Amino acid sequence: MLSKQNISPFQTYIIHKPLKIYLKKIAKNIDQHLTDSILRRCPDKTVGITFSGGVDSGYIAQKFRELDKDFICYNLAYSDHYNEYDRITQITSNLKLKVKKFIVTPQQLIENIYNTNSLNSEPIAFNDAALQLLWKAAKDDGINTMFEGGGADHLFLGMNSYQKVLKARRIFDLLKSIKLQKLTILCLSLLSHHELRKLTINYKNWESGLPTYIKRIYSHTNYKSDFENQVYELGVARFWSEFTSTFNSHDPRLFFTYQTINMDPEEHFYTPSEQQLALGLFPVSPYWSEELVSLALSIPPDLKLKNGKTKYILRKAAAINSAEKYWELPKIGLDNSFNYICNSKEGKDWQNSLHKSIMNSEVYAILKTQLSVNSLDLNLLIPLSIWIDAHLDS
């Protein structure tokens, strides 16, 4: 159980130390903890790095180069639809990295979603299925250990969605202070734009006292308070209660980090770990050490989201021993492979076929009844449908 002692006395510290000194101290601590974490987990043989060229995986590669360890970076691309080659060329030149690039087709991804779901004990999302193709390539090269940046986004507030939520929250608090929040919610409710619908749901939830939480998937249906309360009670209430009582705080930024500490082992590590272990690979996320997790909780959120930058303090740590400008570049990461699939003719045909099958399934009928809605987002049910079919005979 986390305790108040995990929270850094930030306000007290900067009375005695200038902010720049504090930033430098925290960045050095991150850098040292990441070094220690990699050294503890790195075998005496060549390892692989699941590599995008962004801060998370790029920082790991930089550390391996500093430590003079043998490694190969593996990068996944979706043809011309999505690749990170410009960034990779830049960091490869700076650090002299060995990067293997793999381009996958929509048909390969379609076939692999069936394979991954037959292996896994839970439904597999499309990006995890896509990454399995990269992990297979690493295994074929004789790699037994794969390092990746899992957890860094959430521990150091790296998601762009956090920035949007915080801006929306600040506006809501301002509206509430001048007693205009209810009128604003009413006006927003009359508009049909998808992003405004999401904003309406958040504002209605905040007005009802429900907190923001990570990984929220917004329905295309209208806001229903009963449904919102059910989601909260099932997936958020326990974490919110523990957080507020432990830290005496309602800061949504700190709550994102706290919720990650509790949920990431399942949500962000179990699925890829199970996939890699099925291939005979040992997965490692060096950010998920006890020291780095504790440090991430102690860092004031203002140092994680700062000057319009996500993962601000992690970028500063990565820049200690390299050019700072590179680590200031915008966030990148694996694009949505499902969109890539469905932008192809074979992908559209496959999607339509699955939609028909799902609408005739028992799961669809049960969910419609339980959720009391007229329609469900069929795309969200595709991995579940494939997983159920793969395990019917098990």
Side-chain angles (χ1 to χ4, degrees), residues 12 25 41 59 89 105 112 122 142 186-187 193 239 286 300 305 307 351 360 366:
T12 303
K25 175 183 174 66
R41 292 163 169 80
Y59 192 8
T89 298
T105 66
N112 205 52
E122 295 180 1
L186 177 61
C187 293
H193 189 276
F239 296 110
L305 295 174
N307 298 341
Q351 180 187 30
N360 292 322
I366 292 171

Side-chain angles (χ1 to χ4, degrees), residues 224-277:
K224 293 184 178 180
S225 58
D226 288 347
F227 175 73
E228 295 298 315
N229 284 319
Q230 284 180 351
V231 172
Y232 171 72
E233 291 297 331
L234 285 171
V236 187
R238 176 169 65 87
F239 296 110
W240 181 248
S241 176
E242 289 176 354
F243 167 74
T244 53
S245 63
T246 301
F247 296 102
N248 192 28
S249 169
H250 289 75
D251 189 330
R253 303 165 302 176
L254 186 57
F255 178 54
F256 289 146
T257 303
Y258 175 80
Q259 195 177 4
T260 293
I261 304 302
N262 285 276
M263 296 182 70
D264 258 12
E266 170 65 20
E267 184 179 354
H268 297 282
F269 295 119
Y270 180 73
T271 294
S273 294
E274 198 170 23
Q275 288 296 300
Q276 290 185 40
L277 290 170

Side-chain angles (χ1 to χ4, degrees), residues 358-370:
I358 289 169
M359 291 181 70
N360 292 322
S361 69
E362 183 179 359
V363 169
Y364 182 78
I366 292 171
L367 286 174
K368 274 191 66 177
T369 302
Q370 293 295 319

Side-chain angles (χ1 to χ4, degrees), residues 27 35 37 45 117 163 177 194 207 217 252 273 308:
T35 298
S37 180
K45 55 180 67 175
N117 273 288
Q163 298 274 35
S177 70
H194 180 57
E207 179 68 4
I217 298 175
S273 294

Side-chain angles (χ1 to χ4, degrees), residues 9-155:
F10 177 54
Q11 291 83 0
T12 303
Y13 191 97
I14 61 173
I15 290 173
H16 303 97
K17 299 286 185 181
L19 181 57
K20 281 188 176 180
I21 295 177
Y22 182 75
L23 272 169
K24 190 173 182 180
K25 175 183 174 66
I26 294 298
K28 283 188 174 181
N29 283 342
I30 292 172
D31 192 65
Q32 186 59 56
H33 286 328
L34 185 61
T35 298
D36 295 342
S37 180
I38 288 173
L39 287 173
R40 283 200 303 270
R41 292 163 169 80
C42 188
D44 292 327
K45 55 180 67 175
T46 304
V47 304
I49 297 176
T50 306
F51 188 74
S52 70
V55 177
D56 305 346
S57 60
Y59 192 8
I60 293 171
Q62 177 178 268
K63 276 285 149 200
F64 268 85
R65 175 60 68 223
E66 289 174 17
L67 296 169
D68 198 27
K69 298 289 186 180
D70 291 327
F71 65 100
I72 302 172
C73 297
Y74 292 85
N75 174 262
L76 194 68
Y78 307 143
S79 188
D80 293 330
H81 174 83
Y82 178 81
N83 65 63
E84 298 142 342
Y85 293 161
D86 289 344
R87 289 283 286 274
I88 288 173
T89 298
Q90 191 170 344
I91 193 171
T92 299
S93 175
N94 291 341
L95 299 179
K96 296 180 173 54
L97 305 178
K98 180 180 180 181
V99 180
K100 287 198 171 185
K101 303 172 184 176
F102 293 90
I103 297 175
V104 295
T105 66
Q107 189 59 43
Q108 284 178 302
L109 292 172
I110 290 171
E111 292 170 0
N112 205 52
I113 194 72
Y114 289 93
N115 179 49
T116 52
N117 273 288
S118 69
L119 293 172
N120 226 65
S121 59
E122 295 180 1
I124 295 295
F126 285 90
N127 274 9
D128 285 331
L131 283 170
Q132 196 213 38
L133 294 168
L134 182 148
W135 296 328
K136 282 181 180 177
K139 185 62 180 176
D140 290 342
D141 286 342
I143 298 294
N144 292 318
T145 303
M146 288 296 295
F147 278 74
E148 54 193 42
D153 261 346
H154 296 84
L155 294 176

